[in-house]
Amino acid sequence: MSVTDQDVVFVDPKYGKNYVKLLHVRRQNDIHHVKEIEVDTALTLDSVKDYITGDNSDIVATDTQKNTVYILAKKYGIKSIEDFALTLSGHFLEHYKQVTAANIYIREYPWARVKEGSKEHKHAFVTDSNGSRFCKVRQEKNGEPSISSGIMDLKVLKTTQSAFVNFHKDEYRSLPDMDDRIFCTIVNAEWDYSDYKTVNFDHAWVTVRDTILEEFAGPADTGLFSPSVQKTLYDTQKSTLTKIPQISAIEITLPNVHAYEFDLSKFPVHGFNKNGEDKSCSERVFQPTDKPSGNIYAKVGRKSKL
């Protein structure tokens, strides 16, 4: 039995341009500011005649969407990636009557100023390893936008004050209790805003990133004990919701990047005893591996007060 147009329903038709690379430079006298971003756009139209009949008359070409990114960056600048995403979604919805929804995704590639001692350079930059920033905006015509922000690829490691003990025992378990282990992970976090009109997006992002590092590392001189990845993850989420009232929910993913101590006991000729320890010094050697990987995830939100 053949399927007709009447037998089909379009669930989420949209199309757009991905990976639009843009380097924005703002010159403030001799002080220069840079933002390097990558933008994905996706539009939904009020009909699907382009799919069904091949009528392209309402299509805002993906190349047009790409050009719009560059033109609006020139006209309005990029205060923050969230503000720029809102500018793009608002433009597509207002400028084209046939566009009913706009989805914008922006990733920012981090640059930091080159420093000479404590003095920051005016126009030279170096890549920053404190994770990449991203945001997502979805907006329907005549509707309020939904906005989320996030951080990705923030790799962190601490060499002690991490444990994992007293977990479930059965005939399938082989992992021993570990009361002192290396804790390494690559943080990916995303949070939703309930009130975007009163939030400073830049300040909020820095606050979340700093909270992740604080709950992971603890004070510089004493550290902070982690009884499990789950506990560290949850403490980070609670602290974030406390600090930023405009955030309604936050999800965090923490994959394990394991580092197992290399077995040196097979090399007694080099002075290692049966435990693989070097008799002459306190150095320890580990073998990092990220596959297979444990993966800890949770999303928490605020309880309704109704």
Side-chain angles (χ1 to χ4, degrees):
M1 181 178 179
S2 63
V3 176
T4 69
D5 293 342
Q6 288 70 37
D7 298 320
V8 174
V9 58
F10 282 82
V11 178
D12 187 23
K14 57 178 178 282
Y15 70 100
K17 199 74 163 182
N18 286 355
Y19 315 121
V20 180
K21 300 278 288 184
L22 184 154
L23 179 65
H24 180 265
V25 179
R26 180 169 62 89
R27 298 187 174 189
Q28 192 174 20
N29 297 321
D30 60 343
I31 305 295
H32 296 183
H33 307 268
V34 300
K35 283 187 181 294
E36 182 181 355
I37 63 174
E38 190 172 274
V39 183
D40 297 350
T41 63
L43 306 180
T44 300
L45 305 182
D46 59 5
S47 78
V48 289
K49 60 185 180 182
D50 47 333
Y51 290 93
I52 296 176
T53 68
D55 183 342
N56 299 328
S57 57
D58 282 346
I59 290 181
V60 182
T62 65
D63 188 66
T64 302
Q65 296 179 42
K66 176 206 69 179
N67 295 340
T68 302
V69 172
Y70 291 104
I71 292 169
L72 295 189
K74 174 64 174 177
K75 291 178 68 173
Y76 302 110
I78 304 175
K79 179 183 176 183
S80 71
I81 58 173
E82 291 86 356
D83 289 310
F84 188 52
L86 288 167
T87 297
L88 287 169
S89 66
H91 169 85
F92 288 125
L93 292 168
E94 294 167 12
H95 195 74
Y96 302 103
K97 67 179 188 305
Q98 72 270 34
V99 174
T100 61
N103 290 270
I104 310 295
Y105 172 85
I106 301 179
R107 177 175 179 176
E108 180 175 353
Y109 292 88
W111 289 99
R113 294 188 182 278
V114 170
K115 289 185 178 181
E116 183 180 2
S118 60
K119 186 177 181 180
E120 293 187 334
H121 202 284
K122 293 181 178 181
H123 58 260
F125 301 85
V126 62
T127 53
D128 188 348
S129 60
N130 282 325
S132 294
R133 178 174 173 176
F134 69 89
C135 74
K136 300 174 184 177
V137 168
R138 174 173 172 78
Q139 187 173 6
E140 297 183 358
K141 194 178 289 292
N142 302 319
E144 289 292 316
S146 61
I147 306 170
S148 63
S149 299
I151 184 169
M152 63 195 305
D153 300 332
L154 176 60
K155 192 170 186 177
V156 293
L157 177 149
K158 64 181 181 181
T159 56
T160 190
Q161 291 201 344
S162 172
F164 187 52
V165 300
N166 300 324
F167 50 97
H168 183 71
K169 295 180 180 180
D170 64 16
E171 68 272 25
Y172 298 99
R173 172 179 160 172
S174 63
L175 189 69
D177 283 351
M178 291 176 284
D179 56 10
D180 185 17
R181 64 174 183 171
I182 287 178
F183 183 178
C184 181
T185 188
I186 303 172
V187 182
N188 290 280
E190 184 175 346
W191 52 93
D192 304 324
Y193 290 106
S194 57
D195 180 5
Y196 71 94
K197 295 180 181 179
T198 64
V199 71
N200 180 315
F201 292 115
D202 289 339
H203 180 265
W205 189 87
V206 170
T207 299
V208 176
R209 183 199 61 194
D210 290 350
T211 299
I212 291 169
L213 297 177
E214 289 166 6
E215 295 295 335
F216 176 81
D221 55 345
T222 62
L224 179 66
F225 178 72
S226 171
S228 68
V229 178
Q230 285 88 337
K231 184 67 167 61
T232 298
L233 185 154
Y234 179 56
D235 287 346
T236 301
Q237 292 171 318
K238 284 196 304 178
S239 185
T240 297
L241 293 175
T242 298
K243 293 177 180 178
I244 309 176
Q246 295 94 338
I247 290 180
S248 58
I250 177 170
E251 60 180 285
I252 299 178
T253 303
L254 299 181
N256 290 123
V257 181
H258 296 292
Y260 298 111
E261 192 155 11
F262 188 76
D263 182 10
L264 295 169
S265 63
K266 293 178 277 189
F267 307 96
V269 67
H270 292 283
F272 302 115
N273 64 19
K274 63 179 180 180
N275 296 320
E277 296 173 351
D278 190 335
K279 297 176 182 179
S280 61
C281 63
S282 60
E283 280 79 5
R284 298 174 66 187
V285 177
F286 295 83
Q287 187 172 20
T289 178
D290 59 354
K291 296 177 182 178
S293 169
N295 199 45
I296 315 304
Y297 164 87
K299 181 174 183 176
V300 302
R302 300 180 191 273
K303 285 185 177 180
S304 174
K305 296 182 179 180
L306 297 180

